[in-house]
Protein backbone atom coordinates (compact mmCIF):
# COMPACT_ATOMS: atom_id res chain seq x y z
CA UNK A 1 0.00 0.00 0.00
CA UNK A 2 1.47 3.31 -1.07
CA UNK A 3 1.80 6.24 1.27
CA UNK A 4 -0.97 8.76 0.61
CA UNK A 5 0.58 12.11 1.43
CA UNK A 6 -2.72 13.99 0.98
CA UNK A 7 -4.65 11.66 3.31
CA UNK A 8 -1.86 11.93 5.86
CA UNK A 9 -1.93 15.73 5.69
CA UNK A 10 -5.74 15.77 6.08
CA UNK A 11 -5.44 13.65 9.25
CA UNK A 12 -2.72 15.93 10.62
CA UNK A 13 -4.79 19.03 9.85
CA UNK A 14 -7.82 17.48 11.54
CA UNK A 15 -5.76 16.61 14.62
CA UNK A 16 -4.36 20.14 14.67
CA UNK A 17 -7.85 21.65 14.55
CA UNK A 18 -9.11 19.33 17.29
CA UNK A 19 -6.14 20.16 19.49
CA UNK A 20 -6.65 23.88 18.98
CA UNK A 21 -10.33 23.49 19.88
CA UNK A 22 -9.39 21.56 23.02
CA UNK A 23 -6.89 24.20 24.08
CA UNK A 24 -9.17 27.16 23.40
CA UNK A 25 -12.51 25.64 24.34
CA UNK A 26 -14.63 25.61 27.45
CA UNK A 27 -12.59 22.86 29.11
CA UNK A 28 -9.22 23.99 27.78
CA UNK A 29 -7.89 24.62 31.28
CA UNK A 30 -8.73 21.01 32.27
CA UNK A 31 -7.15 19.67 29.08
CA UNK A 32 -3.93 21.65 29.58
CA UNK A 33 -3.75 20.61 33.24
CA UNK A 34 -4.18 16.94 32.32
CA UNK A 35 -1.41 17.26 29.74
CA UNK A 36 0.78 18.69 32.48
CA UNK A 37 0.61 15.59 34.65
CA UNK A 38 3.90 13.75 34.84
CA UNK A 39 4.31 10.15 33.81
CA UNK A 40 5.13 9.22 37.40
CA UNK A 41 1.92 10.87 38.67
CA UNK A 42 -0.11 8.77 36.24
CA UNK A 43 1.85 5.56 36.85
CA UNK A 44 1.34 5.90 40.61
CA UNK A 45 -2.38 5.22 40.20
CA UNK A 46 -2.16 1.60 39.05
CA UNK A 47 0.71 -0.88 38.98
CA UNK A 48 0.09 -1.93 35.37
CA UNK A 49 -0.23 -0.07 32.07
CA UNK A 50 -3.99 0.44 32.48
CA UNK A 51 -3.47 3.96 33.75
CA UNK A 52 -1.73 5.05 30.54
CA UNK A 53 -4.59 3.81 28.37
CA UNK A 54 -7.21 5.37 30.63
CA UNK A 55 -5.22 8.62 30.69
CA UNK A 56 -5.31 8.78 26.88
CA UNK A 57 -9.06 8.06 26.84
CA UNK A 58 -9.61 10.70 29.53
CA UNK A 59 -7.67 13.23 27.45
CA UNK A 60 -9.78 12.36 24.41
CA UNK A 61 -12.95 12.67 26.48
CA UNK A 62 -12.06 16.17 27.67
CA UNK A 63 -11.01 17.11 24.16
CA UNK A 64 -14.29 15.88 22.68
CA UNK A 65 -16.33 17.50 25.46
CA UNK A 66 -14.67 20.79 24.60
CA UNK A 67 -15.25 20.31 20.88
CA UNK A 68 -18.92 19.55 21.42
CA UNK A 69 -19.30 22.27 24.06
CA UNK A 70 -21.11 19.99 26.52
CA UNK A 71 -22.13 21.01 30.02
CA UNK A 72 -19.81 20.43 32.99
CA UNK A 73 -22.20 17.93 34.54
CA UNK A 74 -22.10 15.89 31.33
CA UNK A 75 -18.29 15.94 31.36
CA UNK A 76 -18.30 14.72 34.96
CA UNK A 77 -20.67 11.89 34.00
CA UNK A 78 -18.42 10.90 31.08
CA UNK A 79 -15.34 10.86 33.33
CA UNK A 80 -17.12 8.72 35.93
CA UNK A 81 -18.20 6.30 33.19
CA UNK A 82 -14.53 5.74 32.39
CA UNK A 83 -14.11 4.20 35.84
CA UNK A 84 -12.14 4.66 39.03
CA UNK A 85 -8.74 5.00 37.36
CA UNK A 86 -9.99 7.89 35.22
CA UNK A 87 -11.54 9.54 38.26
CA UNK A 88 -8.25 9.14 40.15
CA UNK A 89 -6.32 10.73 37.32
CA UNK A 90 -8.85 13.54 36.98
CA UNK A 91 -8.62 14.24 40.70
CA UNK A 92 -4.93 15.05 40.25
CA UNK A 93 -6.06 18.16 38.35
CA UNK A 94 -7.46 20.70 40.83
CA UNK A 95 -10.00 22.15 38.38
CA UNK A 96 -11.37 18.69 37.60
CA UNK A 97 -11.18 17.55 41.21
CA UNK A 98 -13.46 20.46 42.13
CA UNK A 99 -16.07 19.13 39.68
CA UNK A 100 -15.85 15.55 40.90
Amino acid sequence: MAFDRNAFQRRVNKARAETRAALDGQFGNHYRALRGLSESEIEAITPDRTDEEVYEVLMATVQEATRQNIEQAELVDRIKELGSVAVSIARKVPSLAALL
Side-chain angles (χ1 to χ4, degrees):
M1 184 171 172
F3 175 70
D4 184 341
R5 185 178 308 269
N6 291 328
F8 176 82
Q9 192 59 49
R10 283 190 301 273
R11 286 191 298 275
V12 168
N13 289 342
K14 181 181 178 199
R16 180 180 291 134
E18 289 173 352
T19 299
R20 175 58 47 206
L23 291 170
D24 294 341
Q26 175 184 2
F27 302 118
N29 61 325
H30 304 316
Y31 182 78
R32 285 188 298 279
L34 280 169
R35 282 188 32 212
L37 293 177
S38 71
E39 188 174 328
S40 61
E41 287 177 293
I42 296 165
E43 288 177 351
I45 294 170
T46 62
D48 60 15
R49 310 234 357 137
T50 302
D51 50 355
E52 291 178 45
E53 180 181 342
V54 172
Y55 172 72
E56 293 299 329
V57 173
L58 177 60
M59 291 286 293
T61 299
V62 173
Q63 188 175 25
E64 187 63 16
T66 301
R67 193 178 74 71
Q68 291 192 18
N69 199 29
I70 67 171
E71 298 294 324
Q72 280 189 356
E74 183 69 21
L75 174 60
V76 169
D77 288 346
R78 297 292 150 245
I79 292 171
K80 288 178 179 177
E81 286 176 0
L82 295 175
S84 62
V85 172
V87 170
S88 295
I89 295 169
R91 284 194 173 133
K92 292 192 173 284
V93 173
S95 61
L96 284 173
L99 299 177
L100 295 166

